[in-house]
Amino acid sequence: MNQPRQTASYLSKRLAAAGLQPVSRYGQNFLIDLNLVDLIANSAGMRKDDVVLEVGTGVGSLTSRLSDAAGAVLSIEIDENLHRLAKEELGWRPNVRLLQGDALHNKNTLRPDMMEQIRDAMNRIGENARFLLVANLPYNVATPIISNLMLETPSPDVVVATIQKEVGDRIVAQPGSKDYGALSVWLQSLCECSIVRVLSPKVFWPRPNVDSAIVRLDARPEWREKIPDLRYFHETVRALFFHRRKFLRSVVVSGMKGRLDKRQVDEVLGSLGYSENARTEELPVAEIQRLVEALRQAEIKTKAS
């Protein structure tokens, strides 16, 4: 099928003809290397029973490729003018639905009707349907979009997204490194995480001030099932890394304030064999999972007594 062209000169003329220009507050940086647009689409390994969410339709270059490969595509664009432009390019495609607005309801929750439409599309496709996020994500929403999607039902089977390289480094970071933190632990607890390609600013228009990366996350349902309370785990991991330079004990005391007292925290840490000098950012993912579950059990015990 015909694909929209995507070069800097084409895009600037296309937007100018519509009286538009990129809006920096929406994090609009268009990928102008069509080989990389293809790489994003191909890296997702889409099939005809996939439902794909794209956040940031732009002018529809990636959307059209998603439409060719997947069963259904839901693409959301915050910029009203770009949404209108994309409708001209994509309106004839029967398996594409375009939404206008913000994918986030607020910082910690996604727009509810977006997920309703994903669920409806999966029900139509049937029991073999998978849910994928494939997108050139605006930098300013990449972390909350990916993090919050992992709490949803369904959560994505596969994520392939272009994001700021710094965020990609945090996703795949290992214990003890400067990038290892709550995002690393949260996503690595649920998915196999990898960086597909690092992208220089010059493959975008306008050029961002930082490098980007295409990341791929593959959900592991058996890992997810080992976490008894996902929301508790997510919130507690964030609390544990809030003051990352402090010793583990003071971080846990601070994070559990009003829920567990210092004596109870010491009992939990003692039962797990942590020394006074232990630090959160040095603990492997499995150790943090063990710690969070021990804190959850201590909290349940406290409430019951």
Side-chain angles (χ1 to χ4, degrees):
M1 291 187 183
N2 292 334
Q3 307 284 9
R5 295 172 59 224
Q6 187 118 328
T7 62
S9 60
Y10 167 76
L11 282 170
S12 60
K13 285 173 186 168
R14 182 83 175 87
L15 295 181
L20 307 176
Q21 59 185 18
V23 181
S24 59
R25 77 174 182 277
Y26 293 149
Q28 287 174 1
N29 301 97
F30 301 98
L31 205 47
I32 55 173
D33 185 330
L34 281 177
N35 292 324
L36 294 173
V37 177
D38 288 335
L39 177 63
I40 295 168
N42 295 339
S43 295
M46 287 173 286
R47 55 196 199 207
K48 284 297 177 185
D49 46 11
D50 287 341
V51 175
V52 180
L53 171 65
E54 179 190 26
V55 177
T57 316
V59 295
S61 297
L62 177 58
T63 323
S64 63
R65 285 154 175 79
L66 304 180
S67 168
D68 289 347
V73 178
L74 178 66
S75 186
I76 184 164
E77 173 58 58
I78 195 169
D79 187 320
E80 203 171 334
N81 295 314
L82 274 183
H83 170 72
R84 194 172 61 248
L85 211 60
K87 279 183 92 167
E88 293 174 20
E89 299 278 4
L90 304 160
W92 58 273
R93 289 178 177 260
N95 68 340
V96 173
R97 183 166 289 185
L98 300 174
L99 278 183
Q100 194 275 315
D102 197 334
L104 292 168
H105 174 60
N106 57 42
K107 191 180 175 185
N108 297 315
T109 55
L110 295 165
R111 174 176 168 159
D113 67 323
M114 185 176 78
M115 290 310 299
E116 277 302 319
Q117 293 199 37
I118 293 292
R119 286 188 280 271
D120 288 346
M122 292 183 78
N123 287 335
R124 285 197 305 274
I125 285 174
E127 60 181 33
N128 293 324
R130 296 190 307 168
F131 170 35
L132 281 63
L133 170 70
V134 186
N136 177 21
L137 286 176
Y139 287 159
N140 53 346
V141 296
T143 299
I145 291 285
I146 295 173
S147 291
N148 292 328
L149 270 176
M150 293 302 163
L151 283 167
E152 285 290 338
T153 304
S155 58
D157 294 285
V158 177
V159 170
V160 175
T162 307
I163 58 176
Q164 197 169 332
K165 180 179 178 288
E166 178 189 328
V167 178
D169 289 341
R170 282 164 50 205
I171 288 172
V172 301
Q174 295 302 302
S177 68
K178 68 177 176 59
D179 296 313
Y180 186 68
L183 188 65
S184 326
V185 174
W186 172 233
L187 294 179
Q188 289 176 35
S189 292
L190 304 171
C191 308
E192 285 186 23
C193 306
S194 59
I195 290 180
V196 175
R197 179 82 62 90
V198 174
L199 309 178
S200 85
K202 65 185 178 187
V203 301
F204 294 91
W205 176 80
R207 291 187 182 186
N209 298 320
V210 293
D211 286 344
S212 304
I214 302 170
V215 296
R216 178 171 166 132
L217 314 181
D218 287 89
R220 289 290 174 260
E222 66 276 18
W223 297 357
R224 189 182 188 89
E225 285 165 16
K226 287 180 185 173
I227 301 172
D229 186 331
L230 264 188
R231 202 163 287 276
Y232 181 94
F233 179 73
H234 185 228
E235 289 169 3
T236 307
V237 166
R238 285 165 66 193
L240 290 178
F241 281 92
F242 194 70
H243 302 289
R244 56 178 293 121
R245 296 293 167 226
K246 292 184 176 178
F247 288 118
L248 180 62
R249 180 183 182 273
S250 62
V251 166
V252 176
V253 167
S254 172
M256 302 307 290
K257 195 170 184 179
R259 297 190 283 169
L260 296 175
D261 60 30
K262 290 182 181 179
R263 178 189 58 79
Q264 291 166 316
V265 167
D266 287 338
E267 281 178 9
V268 169
L269 295 179
S271 71
L272 297 173
Y274 292 122
S275 72
E276 290 179 11
N277 298 326
R279 291 184 187 273
T280 319
E281 65 265 28
E282 292 168 357
L283 300 181
V285 170
E287 286 291 301
I288 291 177
Q289 290 172 348
R290 201 162 67 104
L291 169 59
V292 172
E293 181 54 18
L295 292 169
R296 191 178 79 90
Q297 291 297 338
E299 218 178 312
I300 291 170
K301 191 175 166 186
T302 301
K303 285 174 182 172
S305 60

